Short mmCIF file of all heavy atoms in Angstrom, two decimals:
data_model
loop_
_atom_site.label_atom_id
_atom_site.label_comp_id
_atom_site.label_asym_id
_atom_site.label_seq_id
_atom_site.Cartn_x
_atom_site.Cartn_y
_atom_site.Cartn_z
N ASN H 391 109.30 108.79 130.11
CA ASN H 391 109.39 109.46 128.88
C ASN H 391 110.75 110.23 128.70
O ASN H 391 110.86 111.23 127.87
CB ASN H 391 108.25 110.47 128.66
CG ASN H 391 106.93 109.73 128.41
OD1 ASN H 391 106.75 109.01 127.50
ND2 ASN H 391 105.98 109.83 129.35
N HIS H 392 111.74 109.86 129.51
CA HIS H 392 113.03 110.46 129.58
C HIS H 392 112.97 111.96 129.76
O HIS H 392 113.81 112.76 129.23
CB HIS H 392 113.77 110.06 128.24
CG HIS H 392 114.09 108.63 128.14
ND1 HIS H 392 115.06 107.99 128.79
CD2 HIS H 392 113.50 107.73 127.39
CE1 HIS H 392 115.06 106.72 128.54
NE2 HIS H 392 114.14 106.48 127.66
N ILE H 393 112.10 112.33 130.65
CA ILE H 393 112.06 113.80 131.11
C ILE H 393 112.46 113.80 132.56
O ILE H 393 111.93 113.11 133.35
CB ILE H 393 110.59 114.32 131.05
CG1 ILE H 393 110.14 114.39 129.58
CG2 ILE H 393 110.52 115.73 131.63
CD1 ILE H 393 108.63 114.64 129.35
N ILE H 394 113.54 114.58 132.81
CA ILE H 394 114.00 114.75 134.18
C ILE H 394 113.03 115.63 134.95
O ILE H 394 112.87 116.75 134.61
CB ILE H 394 115.43 115.37 134.23
CG1 ILE H 394 116.40 114.49 133.41
CG2 ILE H 394 115.91 115.52 135.63
CD1 ILE H 394 116.59 113.12 133.90
N PRO H 395 112.37 115.07 135.97
CA PRO H 395 111.36 115.84 136.73
C PRO H 395 112.09 117.01 137.48
O PRO H 395 113.22 116.84 137.94
CB PRO H 395 110.74 114.85 137.72
CG PRO H 395 111.16 113.55 137.22
CD PRO H 395 112.47 113.65 136.49
N ALA H 396 111.37 118.15 137.59
CA ALA H 396 111.91 119.27 138.41
C ALA H 396 112.36 118.88 139.81
O ALA H 396 113.32 119.50 140.34
CB ALA H 396 110.85 120.41 138.45
N GLU H 397 111.72 117.91 140.34
CA GLU H 397 111.94 117.54 141.67
C GLU H 397 113.45 116.94 141.90
O GLU H 397 113.89 116.80 143.01
CB GLU H 397 111.05 116.37 142.24
CG GLU H 397 109.67 116.82 142.38
CD GLU H 397 108.81 116.75 141.05
OE1 GLU H 397 109.36 116.50 139.95
OE2 GLU H 397 107.58 116.96 141.15
N ILE H 398 114.15 116.59 140.80
CA ILE H 398 115.52 116.12 140.99
C ILE H 398 116.44 117.03 140.14
O ILE H 398 117.57 116.55 139.81
CB ILE H 398 115.65 114.60 140.58
CG1 ILE H 398 115.25 114.34 139.17
CG2 ILE H 398 114.89 113.81 141.62
CD1 ILE H 398 115.48 112.99 138.71
N THR H 399 116.09 118.21 139.87
CA THR H 399 116.99 119.13 139.26
C THR H 399 117.51 120.12 140.26
O THR H 399 117.01 120.28 141.41
CB THR H 399 116.28 120.00 138.11
OG1 THR H 399 115.30 120.77 138.70
CG2 THR H 399 115.69 119.01 137.06
N TYR H 400 118.67 120.79 139.88
CA TYR H 400 119.38 121.52 140.88
C TYR H 400 118.58 122.61 141.52
O TYR H 400 118.74 123.01 142.68
CB TYR H 400 120.66 122.16 140.21
CG TYR H 400 120.29 123.42 139.42
CD1 TYR H 400 120.66 124.69 139.88
CD2 TYR H 400 119.83 123.31 138.10
CE1 TYR H 400 120.34 125.81 139.16
CE2 TYR H 400 119.57 124.44 137.38
CZ TYR H 400 119.85 125.68 137.88
OH TYR H 400 119.52 126.88 137.21
N ASP H 401 117.64 123.22 140.85
CA ASP H 401 116.83 124.32 141.53
C ASP H 401 115.34 123.84 141.84
O ASP H 401 114.58 124.71 142.30
CB ASP H 401 116.81 125.56 140.62
CG ASP H 401 116.12 125.37 139.27
OD1 ASP H 401 115.67 124.23 138.94
OD2 ASP H 401 116.04 126.21 138.43
N TYR H 402 115.13 122.63 141.49
CA TYR H 402 113.76 122.07 141.82
C TYR H 402 112.65 122.77 141.13
O TYR H 402 111.51 122.74 141.65
CB TYR H 402 113.51 121.98 143.37
CG TYR H 402 114.62 121.23 144.09
CD1 TYR H 402 115.54 122.04 144.78
CD2 TYR H 402 114.61 119.85 144.14
CE1 TYR H 402 116.62 121.24 145.47
CE2 TYR H 402 115.56 119.18 144.87
CZ TYR H 402 116.55 119.89 145.45
OH TYR H 402 117.60 119.18 146.16
N LYS H 403 112.90 123.43 140.04
CA LYS H 403 111.88 124.30 139.35
C LYS H 403 111.48 123.87 137.97
O LYS H 403 110.30 124.11 137.59
CB LYS H 403 112.30 125.75 139.36
CG LYS H 403 112.46 126.38 140.72
CD LYS H 403 112.93 127.80 140.66
CE LYS H 403 113.09 128.40 142.05
NZ LYS H 403 113.54 129.73 141.93
N ALA H 404 112.41 123.37 137.20
CA ALA H 404 112.12 123.13 135.82
C ALA H 404 112.42 121.65 135.30
O ALA H 404 113.47 121.15 135.66
CB ALA H 404 112.91 124.11 134.90
N ASP H 405 111.38 121.12 134.67
CA ASP H 405 111.64 119.83 134.11
C ASP H 405 112.66 119.94 133.01
O ASP H 405 112.88 121.03 132.45
CB ASP H 405 110.28 119.26 133.40
CG ASP H 405 109.26 118.88 134.43
OD1 ASP H 405 109.57 118.73 135.53
OD2 ASP H 405 108.06 118.76 134.03
N LYS H 406 113.34 118.84 132.70
CA LYS H 406 114.31 118.61 131.63
C LYS H 406 115.67 119.36 131.90
O LYS H 406 116.49 119.36 131.01
CB LYS H 406 113.68 119.18 130.27
CG LYS H 406 112.45 118.37 129.85
CD LYS H 406 111.98 118.90 128.48
CE LYS H 406 110.78 118.19 128.04
NZ LYS H 406 110.30 118.62 126.81
N GLU H 407 115.81 119.95 133.08
CA GLU H 407 117.05 120.56 133.36
C GLU H 407 118.15 119.43 133.49
O GLU H 407 117.88 118.45 134.13
CB GLU H 407 116.98 121.31 134.66
CG GLU H 407 118.19 121.96 135.21
CD GLU H 407 118.78 122.99 134.23
OE1 GLU H 407 118.17 123.94 133.95
OE2 GLU H 407 120.04 122.80 133.88
N VAL H 408 119.28 119.65 132.88
CA VAL H 408 120.32 118.71 132.87
C VAL H 408 121.16 118.67 134.15
O VAL H 408 121.95 117.77 134.42
CB VAL H 408 121.24 118.74 131.63
CG1 VAL H 408 120.47 118.46 130.38
CG2 VAL H 408 121.93 120.07 131.66
N HIS H 409 121.10 119.82 134.89
CA HIS H 409 121.86 119.93 136.19
C HIS H 409 121.04 119.31 137.28
O HIS H 409 119.94 119.79 137.56
CB HIS H 409 122.29 121.37 136.46
CG HIS H 409 123.07 121.92 135.37
ND1 HIS H 409 124.40 121.56 135.16
CD2 HIS H 409 122.75 122.76 134.31
CE1 HIS H 409 124.84 122.20 134.15
NE2 HIS H 409 123.86 122.92 133.63
N LEU H 410 121.57 118.26 137.90
CA LEU H 410 120.84 117.45 138.85
C LEU H 410 120.93 117.99 140.29
O LEU H 410 121.97 118.69 140.56
CB LEU H 410 121.28 116.03 138.83
CG LEU H 410 120.95 115.28 137.48
CD1 LEU H 410 121.55 113.94 137.50
CD2 LEU H 410 119.59 115.36 137.10
N SER H 411 120.06 117.63 141.09
CA SER H 411 120.14 117.91 142.55
C SER H 411 120.79 116.75 143.22
O SER H 411 121.29 115.77 142.60
CB SER H 411 118.69 118.02 143.12
OG SER H 411 118.07 116.77 142.97
N VAL H 412 120.91 116.78 144.54
CA VAL H 412 121.45 115.81 145.36
C VAL H 412 120.79 114.43 145.09
O VAL H 412 121.36 113.40 144.91
CB VAL H 412 121.36 116.15 146.85
CG1 VAL H 412 121.64 114.92 147.72
CG2 VAL H 412 122.23 117.29 147.25
N GLU H 413 119.43 114.57 145.02
CA GLU H 413 118.66 113.32 144.75
C GLU H 413 118.95 112.71 143.35
O GLU H 413 119.11 111.54 143.21
CB GLU H 413 117.14 113.73 144.69
CG GLU H 413 116.66 114.09 146.05
CD GLU H 413 116.70 115.67 146.29
OE1 GLU H 413 117.47 116.35 145.56
OE2 GLU H 413 116.15 116.16 147.21
N GLY H 414 119.14 113.55 142.44
CA GLY H 414 119.49 113.17 141.05
C GLY H 414 120.91 112.47 141.01
O GLY H 414 121.06 111.43 140.38
N TYR H 415 121.80 113.10 141.72
CA TYR H 415 123.19 112.50 141.73
C TYR H 415 123.24 111.26 142.57
O TYR H 415 124.11 110.37 142.36
CB TYR H 415 124.25 113.51 142.17
CG TYR H 415 124.62 114.45 141.04
CD1 TYR H 415 124.23 115.81 141.14
CD2 TYR H 415 125.26 114.06 139.93
CE1 TYR H 415 124.52 116.74 140.07
CE2 TYR H 415 125.60 114.85 138.89
CZ TYR H 415 125.24 116.15 139.00
OH TYR H 415 125.50 117.00 137.88
N HIS H 416 122.34 111.15 143.59
CA HIS H 416 122.28 109.97 144.34
C HIS H 416 121.91 108.76 143.42
O HIS H 416 122.40 107.65 143.61
CB HIS H 416 121.23 110.11 145.44
CG HIS H 416 121.05 108.81 146.23
ND1 HIS H 416 121.82 108.46 147.24
CD2 HIS H 416 120.10 107.82 146.13
CE1 HIS H 416 121.47 107.29 147.74
NE2 HIS H 416 120.41 106.86 147.06
N ILE H 417 120.97 108.97 142.52
CA ILE H 417 120.55 107.89 141.63
C ILE H 417 121.72 107.46 140.78
O ILE H 417 121.99 106.28 140.67
CB ILE H 417 119.37 108.39 140.67
CG1 ILE H 417 118.12 108.69 141.44
CG2 ILE H 417 119.06 107.31 139.57
CD1 ILE H 417 117.12 109.46 140.56
N MET H 418 122.47 108.41 140.22
CA MET H 418 123.60 108.09 139.35
C MET H 418 124.67 107.31 140.18
O MET H 418 125.21 106.28 139.70
CB MET H 418 124.23 109.35 138.71
CG MET H 418 123.34 110.03 137.73
SD MET H 418 123.97 111.48 137.04
CE MET H 418 125.40 110.92 136.24
N ALA H 419 124.95 107.83 141.43
CA ALA H 419 125.97 107.16 142.23
C ALA H 419 125.58 105.77 142.61
O ALA H 419 126.38 104.80 142.61
CB ALA H 419 126.23 108.04 143.55
N TYR H 420 124.30 105.62 142.87
CA TYR H 420 123.76 104.30 143.23
C TYR H 420 123.95 103.26 142.14
O TYR H 420 124.44 102.11 142.28
CB TYR H 420 122.26 104.41 143.56
CG TYR H 420 121.62 103.11 144.00
CD1 TYR H 420 121.50 102.85 145.37
CD2 TYR H 420 121.22 102.12 143.07
CE1 TYR H 420 120.86 101.61 145.76
CE2 TYR H 420 120.61 100.98 143.45
CZ TYR H 420 120.45 100.71 144.83
OH TYR H 420 119.94 99.52 145.22
N LEU H 421 123.63 103.73 140.87
CA LEU H 421 123.72 102.77 139.72
C LEU H 421 125.21 102.45 139.43
O LEU H 421 125.49 101.29 139.10
CB LEU H 421 123.06 103.44 138.49
CG LEU H 421 121.58 103.72 138.60
CD1 LEU H 421 121.10 104.53 137.48
CD2 LEU H 421 120.90 102.32 138.53
N VAL H 422 126.12 103.46 139.51
CA VAL H 422 127.51 103.19 139.25
C VAL H 422 128.00 102.26 140.36
O VAL H 422 128.76 101.32 140.06
CB VAL H 422 128.29 104.50 139.13
CG1 VAL H 422 129.83 104.21 139.14
CG2 VAL H 422 127.83 105.21 137.86
N ALA H 423 127.68 102.65 141.64
CA ALA H 423 128.28 101.76 142.66
C ALA H 423 127.76 100.36 142.57
O ALA H 423 128.45 99.30 142.86
CB ALA H 423 127.86 102.30 144.05
N GLU H 424 126.48 100.16 142.23
CA GLU H 424 125.90 98.75 142.05
C GLU H 424 126.64 98.06 140.97
O GLU H 424 127.01 96.80 141.17
CB GLU H 424 124.40 99.00 141.64
CG GLU H 424 123.66 97.72 141.40
CD GLU H 424 122.25 97.98 140.94
OE1 GLU H 424 121.99 98.50 139.78
OE2 GLU H 424 121.29 97.77 141.79
N ARG H 425 126.98 98.69 139.90
CA ARG H 425 127.73 97.99 138.84
C ARG H 425 129.17 97.66 139.26
O ARG H 425 129.71 96.66 139.02
CB ARG H 425 127.81 98.89 137.55
CG ARG H 425 128.42 98.23 136.40
CD ARG H 425 127.83 96.94 135.96
NE ARG H 425 126.42 97.13 135.62
CZ ARG H 425 125.85 97.48 134.45
NH1 ARG H 425 126.69 97.69 133.49
NH2 ARG H 425 124.61 97.69 134.34
N LEU H 426 129.77 98.60 140.02
CA LEU H 426 131.13 98.28 140.54
C LEU H 426 131.18 97.16 141.47
O LEU H 426 132.03 96.40 141.45
CB LEU H 426 131.75 99.55 141.19
CG LEU H 426 132.07 100.66 140.26
CD1 LEU H 426 132.41 101.90 141.13
CD2 LEU H 426 133.11 100.29 139.34
#
């Protein structure tokens, strides 16, 4: 539903936070590296 879970936000507390944690940035890096 395009809701960022708290588990991958920077403070691990609030859904929909746009600031990601290490886990969230890992996803982004993975997707970009895969495309490259």
Side-chain angles (χ1 to χ4, degrees):
N391 289 300
H392 295 283
I393 297 169
I394 302 297
E397 293 87 351
I398 59 173
T399 64
Y400 80 102
D401 64 0
Y402 304 99
K403 293 181 182 174
D405 288 344
K406 300 183 182 182
E407 176 62 55
V408 296
H409 300 286
L410 301 175
S411 64
V412 169
E413 296 87 346
Y415 281 112
H416 175 83
I417 297 167
M418 291 178 64
Y420 183 98
L421 293 169
V422 170
E424 180 181 70
R425 183 61 55 90
L426 290 172

